[in-house]
Amino acid sequence: MSFTWYKTFPDYPDHHPDYWRIRLIFHIFLLATVSFALLSVINLFVFKAYTLAVMDGVGCLIVLALYGLFRRLANVAVVAVLLACGIAGVMLAFILLVEGRNYSVIWATVIPPVTFFLAGRRVGTTLSTIVFLACVYTVYLQLQHNPAFTINTGALLNVIEASIVHILLFRFYEGTRYFAFQQAIEREQQLIKISQTDTLTGIYNRNKFAKEYASRLASGAEPYCLAVIDIDHFKLVNDTYGHAKGDAILVAFAQRLMQNLRGGDVLARWGGEEFVILISNTTRHDAKTIVERWKQAVSDAPFDEIPVTFSAGITVCDRLQSLDSAFKQADNALYTAKQNGRNRVSLYRDSPIIVVRK
Ligand SMILES: Nc1nc2c(ncn2[C@@H]2O[C@H](COP(=O)(O)OP(=O)(O)OP(=O)(O)O)[C@@H](O)[C@H]2O)c(=O)[nH]1
């Protein structure tokens, strides 16, 4: 069962803080199933203890049933707490049953690591405290009523002190472990964001655009058009106002496009003064109308009194078409727009006519 556990929880990749928690749960189930099955066989054939063999068999079935429930529930938090309570309960029952004899209380030391790891600091502290208090009480009773009991009062004090230190240490350990996981996740999210963002304008970069293009086109849900937008005579802007001003205009330009973007469309900076937009659920003529509107939004309001215009090329993306190929077509149309005097939008001539789903 431990080999297929990850299929039950596809939402918990190995950098998720609950990933190892789930693994531990599966291993506990595996260990409990094998142990009960082995004990049942040994009791049946070696010791001829039929009642115990049946009890072990039932125990094995209960563990398997719980395992089935775990897979069906797929709720890590709930199952982890239930399992932690179950383990603490079984341990407690065992220690109370043998009345703390044969140093059975030593088994209580496995409770903090298991419960803290499985169910977090709050549940771990509660369960560990209950089990340790029960152990101390059991030993205390033995000291009072059983003269043959080998632990003395000094030893009992040691058990109490060591128990408190044990719980505090595991509490601290679990806290730092979880904190480290959270930090790692945050750092990873930051890195992902950096790898997907254009450093100057803050919008998506080419990398992220390629991913969005691939996943959206693969879904085949709606027709898409690709627009390539290129600011006109940007070299002149740089030469006249300086590179820093050029940068500021690129940032403001990207923001202007973002403000006019429809939900579902994807904008990215392709490089330099060139931008790409994946326009969703649209015919090429509607796409042209949309880009014309953006063109108007850019040319109507100068950037710090510097007039800016752009030219654009549009193509319809076939579902199986690569970004490379679609980009070449849109770039081709862009070239036509530039050739025809700039500040205009052109369609790629060979784009297929498509029907939009309403
Ligand atoms: N300020 C700034 N300029 C950039 C950046 N990336 C590219 N450029 C400039 O953009 C200009 C692009 O020039 P060209 O490719 O000749 O195009 P253009 O002047 O816009 O002319 P057309 O595209 O033909 O209308 C160059 O001067 C580049 O240095 C950038 O990140 N910041």
Side-chain angles (χ1 to χ4, degrees), residues 200 230-239 242-248 250 269 271-273 311 338 342:
L200 178 67
D230 187 286
I231 301 178
D232 296 324
H233 297 306
F234 196 63
K235 186 174 179 321
L236 200 61
V237 174
N238 271 334
D239 292 348
H243 206 268
K245 191 75 192 169
D247 278 357
L250 283 174
R269 184 176 178 209
E273 78 310 5
S311 305
K338 291 271 182 188
R342 296 180 173 77

Side-chain angles (χ1 to χ4, degrees), residues 227-233 274 288 291-292 295 309-314 328-349:
V228 178
I229 286 176
D230 187 286
I231 301 178
D232 296 324
H233 297 306
E274 203 164 38
K288 187 167 187 229
V291 179
E292 293 276 9
K295 191 166 73 60
T309 63
F310 71 73
S311 305
I314 299 172
K328 271 187 191 137
Q329 291 179 353
D331 202 36
N332 214 303
L334 170 66
Y335 180 76
T336 310
K338 291 271 182 188
Q339 288 296 100
N340 290 340
R342 296 180 173 77
N343 192 18
R344 63 193 65 229
V345 182
S346 287
L347 292 169
Y348 179 65
R349 59 194 153 76

Side-chain angles (χ1 to χ4, degrees), residues 20-298:
W20 292 103
R21 195 162 272 169
I22 298 168
R23 287 198 71 154
L24 178 65
I25 290 173
F26 274 94
H27 283 99
I28 288 172
F29 276 124
L30 184 65
L31 188 72
T33 309
V34 172
S35 307
F36 272 125
L38 266 179
L39 283 173
S40 181
V41 170
I42 292 170
N43 279 324
L44 188 64
F45 296 107
V46 181
F47 299 116
K48 311 281 184 215
Y50 301 116
T51 314
L52 279 180
V54 170
M55 281 172 66
D56 289 330
V58 171
C60 185
L61 290 177
I62 290 174
V63 172
L64 283 174
L66 285 176
Y67 169 71
L69 182 74
F70 179 40
R71 291 196 73 128
R72 183 154 326 156
L73 269 182
N75 186 329
V76 182
V78 171
V79 175
V81 172
L82 287 179
L83 201 60
C85 290
I87 292 169
V90 167
M91 205 59 81
L92 200 57
F94 165 70
I95 293 167
L96 294 179
L97 207 68
V98 298
E99 296 176 333
R101 283 189 295 272
N102 301 328
Y103 291 95
S104 53
V105 286
I106 199 76
W107 278 105
T109 56
V110 302
I111 295 300
V114 172
T115 54
F116 274 98
F117 192 78
L118 274 179
R121 282 192 291 174
R122 193 137 39 98
V123 177
T125 307
T126 309
L127 291 177
S128 302
T129 307
I130 290 172
V131 172
F132 278 128
L133 282 179
C135 287
V136 170
Y137 184 63
T138 310
V139 174
Y140 173 76
L141 283 184
Q142 287 290 333
L143 282 172
Q144 298 296 308
H145 305 295
N146 186 354
F149 201 68
T150 49
I151 297 180
N152 60 26
T153 315
L156 181 61
L157 278 176
N158 273 328
V159 170
I160 294 171
E161 285 157 13
S163 303
I164 293 169
V165 172
H166 214 67
I167 291 175
L168 290 177
L169 278 178
F170 271 103
R171 200 180 147 80
F172 178 76
Y173 170 78
E174 176 59 22
T176 51
R177 190 188 72 86
Y178 214 82
F179 180 72
F181 255 118
Q182 298 286 14
Q183 294 264 302
I185 290 170
E186 272 170 33
R187 265 198 298 272
E188 190 183 327
Q189 280 166 351
Q190 275 169 4
L191 284 178
I192 290 173
K193 191 156 183 248
I194 289 167
S195 74
Q196 297 177 340
T197 308
D198 174 59
T199 42
L200 178 67
T201 60
I203 63 173
Y204 284 162
N205 61 17
R206 190 194 287 210
N207 232 350
K208 174 66 176 166
F209 188 81
K211 283 199 183 104
E212 286 289 325
Y213 178 94
S215 70
R216 283 164 191 249
L217 270 280
S219 76
E222 43 196 331
Y224 284 99
C225 288
L226 177 71
V228 178
I229 286 176
D230 187 286
I231 301 178
D232 296 324
H233 297 306
F234 196 63
K235 186 174 179 321
L236 200 61
V237 174
N238 271 334
D239 292 348
T240 314
Y241 303 97
H243 206 268
K245 191 75 192 169
D247 278 357
I249 288 179
L250 283 174
V251 173
F253 181 82
Q255 279 167 2
R256 184 84 56 88
L257 289 184
M258 273 307 262
Q259 283 157 8
N260 288 279
L261 213 63
R262 306 172 317 156
D265 295 347
V266 186
L267 166 71
R269 184 176 178 209
W270 191 257
E273 78 310 5
E274 203 164 38
F275 295 80
V276 281
I277 303 177
L278 191 59
I279 309 167
S280 62
N281 202 20
T282 180
T283 62
R284 58 181 182 164
H285 290 291
D286 284 348
K288 187 167 187 229
T289 310
I290 291 167
V291 179
E292 293 276 9
R293 215 180 299 138
W294 291 334
K295 191 166 73 60
Q296 208 62 37
V298 166

